[in-house]
mmCIF file of all heavy atoms in Angstrom:
data_model
loop_
_atom_site.group_PDB
_atom_site.id
_atom_site.type_symbol
_atom_site.label_atom_id
_atom_site.label_comp_id
_atom_site.label_asym_id
_atom_site.label_seq_id
_atom_site.Cartn_x
_atom_site.Cartn_y
_atom_site.Cartn_z
ATOM 1 N N ILE A 1 70.729 24.634 -34.293
ATOM 2 C CA ILE A 1 69.586 25.363 -34.831
ATOM 3 C C ILE A 1 69.862 26.843 -34.641
ATOM 4 O O ILE A 1 70.354 27.261 -33.590
ATOM 5 C CB ILE A 1 68.264 24.916 -34.174
ATOM 6 C CG1 ILE A 1 67.063 25.534 -34.884
ATOM 7 C CG2 ILE A 1 68.266 25.193 -32.687
ATOM 8 C CD1 ILE A 1 65.744 24.883 -34.514
ATOM 9 N N GLU A 2 69.617 27.620 -35.674
ATOM 10 C CA GLU A 2 69.850 29.062 -35.594
ATOM 11 C C GLU A 2 68.785 29.792 -36.391
ATOM 12 O O GLU A 2 68.116 29.212 -37.237
ATOM 13 C CB GLU A 2 71.243 29.424 -36.089
ATOM 14 C CG GLU A 2 71.509 28.997 -37.499
ATOM 15 C CD GLU A 2 72.957 29.201 -37.907
ATOM 16 O OE1 GLU A 2 73.865 29.040 -37.089
ATOM 17 O OE2 GLU A 2 73.156 29.527 -39.089
ATOM 18 N N THR A 3 68.626 31.055 -36.093
ATOM 19 C CA THR A 3 67.658 31.878 -36.808
ATOM 20 C C THR A 3 68.385 32.795 -37.771
ATOM 21 O O THR A 3 69.438 33.334 -37.439
ATOM 22 C CB THR A 3 66.791 32.684 -35.822
ATOM 23 O OG1 THR A 3 65.903 33.505 -36.566
ATOM 24 C CG2 THR A 3 67.606 33.550 -34.897
ATOM 25 N N PRO A 4 67.857 32.964 -38.967
ATOM 26 C CA PRO A 4 68.512 33.849 -39.926
ATOM 27 C C PRO A 4 68.158 35.319 -39.739
ATOM 28 O O PRO A 4 68.620 36.167 -40.481
ATOM 29 C CB PRO A 4 67.992 33.337 -41.275
ATOM 30 C CG PRO A 4 66.656 32.769 -40.970
ATOM 31 C CD PRO A 4 66.767 32.207 -39.567
ATOM 32 N N PHE A 5 67.316 35.628 -38.735
ATOM 33 C CA PHE A 5 66.900 37.007 -38.519
ATOM 34 C C PHE A 5 68.029 37.845 -37.942
ATOM 35 O O PHE A 5 68.890 37.341 -37.235
ATOM 36 C CB PHE A 5 65.702 37.070 -37.560
ATOM 37 C CG PHE A 5 64.503 36.328 -38.045
ATOM 38 C CD1 PHE A 5 64.032 35.233 -37.362
ATOM 39 C CD2 PHE A 5 63.848 36.714 -39.205
ATOM 40 C CE1 PHE A 5 62.926 34.538 -37.807
ATOM 41 C CE2 PHE A 5 62.748 36.027 -39.660
ATOM 42 C CZ PHE A 5 62.286 34.935 -38.956
ATOM 43 N N GLU A 6 68.000 39.151 -38.237
ATOM 44 C CA GLU A 6 68.965 40.060 -37.624
ATOM 45 C C GLU A 6 68.769 40.100 -36.118
ATOM 46 O O GLU A 6 69.711 40.216 -35.365
ATOM 47 C CB GLU A 6 68.813 41.471 -38.202
ATOM 48 C CG GLU A 6 69.307 41.593 -39.623
ATOM 49 C CD GLU A 6 69.189 43.006 -40.141
ATOM 50 O OE1 GLU A 6 69.156 43.951 -39.337
ATOM 51 O OE2 GLU A 6 69.130 43.165 -41.368
ATOM 52 N N ASN A 7 67.520 40.038 -35.666
ATOM 53 C CA ASN A 7 67.212 40.019 -34.247
ATOM 54 C C ASN A 7 66.839 38.589 -33.875
ATOM 55 O O ASN A 7 65.712 38.165 -34.081
ATOM 56 C CB ASN A 7 66.054 40.964 -33.934
ATOM 57 C CG ASN A 7 65.683 40.966 -32.469
ATOM 58 O OD1 ASN A 7 66.295 40.271 -31.664
ATOM 59 N ND2 ASN A 7 64.688 41.742 -32.128
ATOM 60 N N PRO A 8 67.769 37.806 -33.314
ATOM 61 C CA PRO A 8 67.509 36.389 -33.084
ATOM 62 C C PRO A 8 66.424 36.103 -32.052
ATOM 63 O O PRO A 8 65.961 34.985 -31.961
ATOM 64 C CB PRO A 8 68.861 35.854 -32.624
ATOM 65 C CG PRO A 8 69.610 37.028 -32.148
ATOM 66 C CD PRO A 8 69.101 38.199 -32.932
ATOM 67 N N THR A 9 65.994 37.077 -31.294
ATOM 68 C CA THR A 9 64.946 36.826 -30.306
ATOM 69 C C THR A 9 63.573 37.203 -30.837
ATOM 70 O O THR A 9 62.611 37.266 -30.099
ATOM 71 C CB THR A 9 65.221 37.603 -29.001
ATOM 72 O OG1 THR A 9 65.255 38.999 -29.290
ATOM 73 C CG2 THR A 9 66.513 37.156 -28.362
ATOM 74 N N GLN A 10 63.452 37.447 -32.118
ATOM 75 C CA GLN A 10 62.200 37.833 -32.752
ATOM 76 C C GLN A 10 61.214 36.666 -32.719
ATOM 77 O O GLN A 10 61.096 35.897 -33.651
ATOM 78 C CB GLN A 10 62.468 38.270 -34.189
ATOM 79 C CG GLN A 10 61.259 38.769 -34.928
ATOM 80 C CD GLN A 10 61.647 39.228 -36.324
ATOM 81 O OE1 GLN A 10 62.805 39.308 -36.686
ATOM 82 N NE2 GLN A 10 60.654 39.521 -37.116
ATOM 83 N N GLY A 11 60.510 36.492 -31.579
ATOM 84 C CA GLY A 11 59.500 35.449 -31.446
ATOM 85 C C GLY A 11 60.011 34.119 -30.944
ATOM 86 O O GLY A 11 59.241 33.230 -30.678
ATOM 87 N N ALA A 12 61.314 33.958 -30.815
ATOM 88 C CA ALA A 12 61.855 32.674 -30.384
ATOM 89 C C ALA A 12 63.092 32.878 -29.524
ATOM 90 O O ALA A 12 63.799 33.864 -29.654
ATOM 91 C CB ALA A 12 62.212 31.814 -31.587
ATOM 92 N N ILE A 13 63.324 31.912 -28.657
ATOM 93 C CA ILE A 13 64.510 31.919 -27.810
ATOM 94 C C ILE A 13 65.273 30.641 -28.096
ATOM 95 O O ILE A 13 64.711 29.546 -27.990
ATOM 96 C CB ILE A 13 64.129 31.974 -26.320
ATOM 97 C CG1 ILE A 13 63.379 33.266 -26.016
ATOM 98 C CG2 ILE A 13 65.364 31.824 -25.443
ATOM 99 C CD1 ILE A 13 62.761 33.310 -24.644
ATOM 100 N N ILE A 14 66.525 30.780 -28.477
ATOM 101 C CA ILE A 14 67.349 29.599 -28.658
ATOM 102 C C ILE A 14 67.892 29.247 -27.280
ATOM 103 O O ILE A 14 68.750 29.929 -26.744
ATOM 104 C CB ILE A 14 68.464 29.837 -29.690
ATOM 105 C CG1 ILE A 14 67.827 30.109 -31.054
ATOM 106 C CG2 ILE A 14 69.403 28.635 -29.744
ATOM 107 C CD1 ILE A 14 68.792 30.400 -32.167
ATOM 108 N N ALA A 15 67.321 28.178 -26.693
ATOM 109 C CA ALA A 15 67.652 27.796 -25.324
ATOM 110 C C ALA A 15 69.057 27.214 -25.240
ATOM 111 O O ALA A 15 69.728 27.341 -24.230
ATOM 112 C CB ALA A 15 66.625 26.797 -24.802
ATOM 113 N N SER A 16 69.491 26.566 -26.282
ATOM 114 C CA SER A 16 70.854 26.060 -26.405
ATOM 115 C C SER A 16 71.147 26.005 -27.888
ATOM 116 O O SER A 16 70.303 26.374 -28.692
ATOM 117 C CB SER A 16 70.963 24.669 -25.760
ATOM 118 O OG SER A 16 70.299 23.714 -26.539
ATOM 119 N N GLY A 17 72.296 25.527 -28.263
ATOM 120 C CA GLY A 17 72.607 25.436 -29.686
ATOM 121 C C GLY A 17 71.758 24.427 -30.423
ATOM 122 O O GLY A 17 71.736 24.401 -31.642
ATOM 123 N N SER A 18 71.013 23.586 -29.655
ATOM 124 C CA SER A 18 70.238 22.530 -30.303
ATOM 125 C C SER A 18 68.745 22.572 -29.975
ATOM 126 O O SER A 18 68.000 21.719 -30.442
ATOM 127 C CB SER A 18 70.798 21.157 -29.910
ATOM 128 O OG SER A 18 70.695 20.977 -28.516
ATOM 129 N N THR A 19 68.294 23.544 -29.199
ATOM 130 C CA THR A 19 66.873 23.656 -28.838
ATOM 131 C C THR A 19 66.411 25.095 -28.985
ATOM 132 O O THR A 19 67.113 26.021 -28.583
ATOM 133 C CB THR A 19 66.627 23.198 -27.389
ATOM 134 O OG1 THR A 19 67.031 21.842 -27.259
ATOM 135 C CG2 THR A 19 65.167 23.309 -27.001
ATOM 136 N N VAL A 20 65.227 25.264 -29.562
ATOM 137 C CA VAL A 20 64.623 26.581 -29.687
ATOM 138 C C VAL A 20 63.188 26.478 -29.176
ATOM 139 O O VAL A 20 62.530 25.453 -29.343
ATOM 140 C CB VAL A 20 64.681 27.100 -31.144
ATOM 141 C CG1 VAL A 20 63.869 26.238 -32.065
ATOM 142 C CG2 VAL A 20 64.240 28.543 -31.241
ATOM 143 N N GLU A 21 62.722 27.538 -28.521
ATOM 144 C CA GLU A 21 61.346 27.561 -28.031
ATOM 145 C C GLU A 21 60.789 28.963 -28.163
ATOM 146 O O GLU A 21 61.543 29.929 -28.266
ATOM 147 C CB GLU A 21 61.271 27.077 -26.584
ATOM 148 C CG GLU A 21 62.124 27.875 -25.633
ATOM 149 C CD GLU A 21 62.179 27.276 -24.247
ATOM 150 O OE1 GLU A 21 62.366 26.057 -24.127
ATOM 151 O OE2 GLU A 21 62.036 28.050 -23.286
ATOM 152 N N GLY A 22 59.480 29.068 -28.186
ATOM 153 C CA GLY A 22 58.860 30.376 -28.307
ATOM 154 C C GLY A 22 57.390 30.266 -28.620
ATOM 155 O O GLY A 22 56.762 29.231 -28.402
ATOM 156 N N SER A 23 56.851 31.336 -29.154
ATOM 157 C CA SER A 23 55.452 31.414 -29.531
ATOM 158 C C SER A 23 55.395 31.928 -30.964
ATOM 159 O O SER A 23 56.196 32.769 -31.361
ATOM 160 C CB SER A 23 54.713 32.370 -28.593
ATOM 161 O OG SER A 23 53.360 32.438 -28.935
ATOM 162 N N VAL A 24 54.434 31.400 -31.713
ATOM 163 C CA VAL A 24 54.333 31.764 -33.120
ATOM 164 C C VAL A 24 52.872 32.021 -33.473
ATOM 165 O O VAL A 24 51.965 31.445 -32.884
ATOM 166 C CB VAL A 24 54.943 30.650 -34.008
ATOM 167 C CG1 VAL A 24 54.134 29.384 -33.953
ATOM 168 C CG2 VAL A 24 55.140 31.108 -35.416
ATOM 169 N N ASP A 25 52.668 32.934 -34.426
ATOM 170 C CA ASP A 25 51.319 33.204 -34.927
ATOM 171 C C ASP A 25 51.350 33.047 -36.442
ATOM 172 O O ASP A 25 52.231 32.386 -36.979
ATOM 173 C CB ASP A 25 50.820 34.580 -34.477
ATOM 174 C CG ASP A 25 51.755 35.703 -34.891
ATOM 175 O OD1 ASP A 25 52.575 35.506 -35.828
ATOM 176 O OD2 ASP A 25 51.676 36.784 -34.302
ATOM 177 N N ASP A 26 50.430 33.676 -37.128
ATOM 178 C CA ASP A 26 50.368 33.492 -38.579
ATOM 179 C C ASP A 26 51.530 34.132 -39.329
ATOM 180 O O ASP A 26 51.695 33.895 -40.521
ATOM 181 C CB ASP A 26 49.023 33.951 -39.141
ATOM 182 C CG ASP A 26 48.700 35.398 -38.839
ATOM 183 O OD1 ASP A 26 49.435 36.029 -38.055
ATOM 184 O OD2 ASP A 26 47.701 35.902 -39.374
ATOM 185 N N ASP A 27 52.350 34.958 -38.663
ATOM 186 C CA ASP A 27 53.532 35.530 -39.316
ATOM 187 C C ASP A 27 54.599 34.478 -39.556
ATOM 188 O O ASP A 27 55.333 34.537 -40.521
ATOM 189 C CB ASP A 27 54.120 36.673 -38.487
ATOM 190 C CG ASP A 27 53.248 37.908 -38.550
ATOM 191 O OD1 ASP A 27 52.487 38.054 -39.530
ATOM 192 O OD2 ASP A 27 53.319 38.724 -37.613
ATOM 193 N N GLY A 28 54.713 33.522 -38.670
ATOM 194 C CA GLY A 28 55.661 32.427 -38.831
ATOM 195 C C GLY A 28 57.091 32.806 -38.504
ATOM 196 O O GLY A 28 57.450 33.974 -38.432
ATOM 197 N N LEU A 29 57.901 31.789 -38.276
ATOM 198 C CA LEU A 29 59.328 31.926 -37.988
ATOM 199 C C LEU A 29 60.088 30.936 -38.851
ATOM 200 O O LEU A 29 59.555 29.907 -39.257
ATOM 201 C CB LEU A 29 59.612 31.640 -36.515
ATOM 202 C CG LEU A 29 59.020 32.612 -35.502
ATOM 203 C CD1 LEU A 29 59.220 32.083 -34.092
ATOM 204 C CD2 LEU A 29 59.644 33.981 -35.655
ATOM 205 N N GLU A 30 61.356 31.236 -39.070
ATOM 206 C CA GLU A 30 62.201 30.417 -39.932
ATOM 207 C C GLU A 30 63.504 30.125 -39.210
ATOM 208 O O GLU A 30 64.070 31.000 -38.548
ATOM 209 C CB GLU A 30 62.466 31.223 -41.195
ATOM 210 C CG GLU A 30 63.204 30.533 -42.270
ATOM 211 C CD GLU A 30 63.345 31.460 -43.469
ATOM 212 O OE1 GLU A 30 62.318 31.837 -44.049
ATOM 213 O OE2 GLU A 30 64.497 31.801 -43.796
ATOM 214 N N PHE A 31 63.983 28.885 -39.343
ATOM 215 C CA PHE A 31 65.239 28.485 -38.699
ATOM 216 C C PHE A 31 66.076 27.688 -39.680
ATOM 217 O O PHE A 31 65.555 27.051 -40.594
ATOM 218 C CB PHE A 31 64.959 27.599 -37.469
ATOM 219 C CG PHE A 31 64.127 28.285 -36.438
ATOM 220 C CD1 PHE A 31 62.756 28.081 -36.408
ATOM 221 C CD2 PHE A 31 64.690 29.146 -35.520
ATOM 222 C CE1 PHE A 31 61.966 28.717 -35.471
ATOM 223 C CE2 PHE A 31 63.911 29.789 -34.581
ATOM 224 C CZ PHE A 31 62.542 29.577 -34.555
ATOM 225 N N ARG A 32 67.384 27.719 -39.470
ATOM 226 C CA ARG A 32 68.308 26.860 -40.201
ATOM 227 C C ARG A 32 68.746 25.760 -39.240
ATOM 228 O O ARG A 32 69.142 26.048 -38.115
ATOM 229 C CB ARG A 32 69.510 27.653 -40.700
ATOM 230 C CG ARG A 32 69.126 28.589 -41.821
ATOM 231 C CD ARG A 32 70.347 29.177 -42.501
ATOM 232 N NE ARG A 32 69.898 30.163 -43.467
ATOM 233 C CZ ARG A 32 70.111 31.467 -43.350
ATOM 234 N NH1 ARG A 32 70.778 31.947 -42.321
ATOM 235 N NH2 ARG A 32 69.668 32.300 -44.266
ATOM 236 N N VAL A 33 68.671 24.535 -39.707
ATOM 237 C CA VAL A 33 68.922 23.378 -38.858
ATOM 238 C C VAL A 33 69.989 22.506 -39.498
ATOM 239 O O VAL A 33 69.907 22.194 -40.689
ATOM 240 C CB VAL A 33 67.624 22.550 -38.689
ATOM 241 C CG1 VAL A 33 67.888 21.292 -37.890
ATOM 242 C CG2 VAL A 33 66.532 23.380 -38.052
ATOM 243 N N SER A 34 70.990 22.104 -38.707
ATOM 244 C CA SER A 34 71.928 21.081 -39.163
ATOM 245 C C SER A 34 71.670 19.834 -38.327
ATOM 246 O O SER A 34 71.257 19.920 -37.175
ATOM 247 C CB SER A 34 73.376 21.549 -39.006
ATOM 248 O OG SER A 34 73.712 21.654 -37.645
ATOM 249 N N GLY A 35 71.867 18.695 -38.909
ATOM 250 C CA GLY A 35 71.588 17.451 -38.200
ATOM 251 C C GLY A 35 70.137 17.046 -38.380
ATOM 252 O O GLY A 35 69.437 17.516 -39.272
ATOM 253 N N THR A 36 69.675 16.174 -37.508
ATOM 254 C CA THR A 36 68.336 15.613 -37.573
ATOM 255 C C THR A 36 67.427 16.282 -36.556
ATOM 256 O O THR A 36 67.841 16.530 -35.422
ATOM 257 C CB THR A 36 68.388 14.092 -37.272
ATOM 258 O OG1 THR A 36 69.270 13.478 -38.214
ATOM 259 C CG2 THR A 36 67.026 13.452 -37.373
ATOM 260 N N ILE A 37 66.202 16.565 -36.953
ATOM 261 C CA ILE A 37 65.213 17.113 -36.022
ATOM 262 C C ILE A 37 64.720 15.947 -35.174
ATOM 263 O O ILE A 37 64.188 14.969 -35.702
ATOM 264 C CB ILE A 37 64.066 17.804 -36.768
ATOM 265 C CG1 ILE A 37 64.633 18.986 -37.568
ATOM 266 C CG2 ILE A 37 62.976 18.255 -35.806
ATOM 267 C CD1 ILE A 37 63.734 19.514 -38.641
ATOM 268 N N THR A 38 64.919 16.035 -33.864
ATOM 269 C CA THR A 38 64.576 14.922 -32.985
ATOM 270 C C THR A 38 63.255 15.118 -32.264
ATOM 271 O O THR A 38 62.643 14.147 -31.829
ATOM 272 C CB THR A 38 65.691 14.686 -31.951
ATOM 273 O OG1 THR A 38 65.886 15.875 -31.189
ATOM 274 C CG2 THR A 38 66.993 14.293 -32.638
ATOM 275 N N SER A 39 62.787 16.374 -32.125
ATOM 276 C CA SER A 39 61.544 16.613 -31.396
ATOM 277 C C SER A 39 60.915 17.931 -31.830
ATOM 278 O O SER A 39 61.607 18.940 -31.950
ATOM 279 C CB SER A 39 61.835 16.651 -29.892
ATOM 280 O OG SER A 39 60.686 17.014 -29.164
ATOM 281 N N ILE A 40 59.599 17.899 -32.065
ATOM 282 C CA ILE A 40 58.819 19.107 -32.320
ATOM 283 C C ILE A 40 57.595 19.022 -31.426
ATOM 284 O O ILE A 40 56.816 18.078 -31.519
ATOM 285 C CB ILE A 40 58.367 19.221 -33.792
ATOM 286 C CG1 ILE A 40 59.569 19.261 -34.742
ATOM 287 C CG2 ILE A 40 57.508 20.474 -33.978
ATOM 288 C CD1 ILE A 40 59.180 19.209 -36.212
ATOM 289 N N SER A 41 57.447 20.005 -30.558
ATOM 290 C CA SER A 41 56.295 20.051 -29.660
ATOM 291 C C SER A 41 55.554 21.361 -29.883
ATOM 292 O O SER A 41 56.167 22.435 -29.874
ATOM 293 C CB SER A 41 56.777 19.954 -28.212
ATOM 294 O OG SER A 41 55.710 20.152 -27.322
ATOM 295 N N VAL A 42 54.234 21.292 -30.104
ATOM 296 C CA VAL A 42 53.415 22.491 -30.294
ATOM 297 C C VAL A 42 52.189 22.389 -29.389
ATOM 298 O O VAL A 42 51.759 21.298 -29.026
ATOM 299 C CB VAL A 42 52.973 22.659 -31.767
ATOM 300 C CG1 VAL A 42 54.169 22.890 -32.669
ATOM 301 C CG2 VAL A 42 52.177 21.467 -32.254
ATOM 302 N N THR A 43 51.625 23.550 -29.018
ATOM 303 C CA THR A 43 50.477 23.552 -28.114
ATOM 304 C C THR A 43 49.147 23.755 -28.823
ATOM 305 O O THR A 43 48.113 23.746 -28.182
ATOM 306 C CB THR A 43 50.628 24.642 -27.032
ATOM 307 O OG1 THR A 43 50.729 25.915 -27.671
ATOM 308 C CG2 THR A 43 51.839 24.381 -26.164
ATOM 309 N N SER A 44 49.166 23.931 -30.125
ATOM 310 C CA SER A 44 47.929 24.182 -30.858
ATOM 311 C C SER A 44 47.874 23.318 -32.113
ATOM 312 O O SER A 44 48.882 23.163 -32.813
ATOM 313 C CB SER A 44 47.834 25.656 -31.261
ATOM 314 O OG SER A 44 46.767 25.862 -32.157
ATOM 315 N N SER A 45 46.707 22.793 -32.389
ATOM 316 C CA SER A 45 46.542 22.016 -33.619
ATOM 317 C C SER A 45 46.568 22.919 -34.848
ATOM 318 O O SER A 45 46.604 22.429 -35.980
ATOM 319 C CB SER A 45 45.243 21.218 -33.579
ATOM 320 O OG SER A 45 44.140 22.094 -33.462
ATOM 321 N N ASP A 46 46.552 24.245 -34.644
ATOM 322 C CA ASP A 46 46.632 25.196 -35.753
ATOM 323 C C ASP A 46 48.071 25.420 -36.222
ATOM 324 O O ASP A 46 48.301 26.105 -37.215
ATOM 325 C CB ASP A 46 46.042 26.550 -35.351
ATOM 326 C CG ASP A 46 44.529 26.509 -35.231
ATOM 327 O OD1 ASP A 46 43.919 25.615 -35.849
ATOM 328 O OD2 ASP A 46 43.967 27.357 -34.525
#
């Protein structure tokens, strides 16, 4: 998983090559993913 942003820490931290974590608001974040998404965990129903 990788971010296409010039600044890869813009709202997210890639904890390893296969896990990303962070906080998001209505601006949103975008990632490029290879392989299968195995887990998505969020703290808000929004």
Side-chain angles (χ1 to χ4, degrees):
I1 188 166
E2 58 188 35
T3 178
F5 300 116
E6 288 182 23
N7 179 1
T9 60
Q10 183 178 352
I13 298 170
I14 296 178
S16 71
S18 61
T19 300
V20 64
E21 58 187 46
S23 181
V24 67
D25 56 20
D26 58 352
D27 287 336
L29 295 172
E30 185 178 297
F31 300 96
R32 289 191 186 112
V33 176
S34 68
T36 302
I37 298 163
T38 58
S39 174
I40 300 173
S41 173
V42 296
T43 60
S44 170
S45 61
D46 288 337

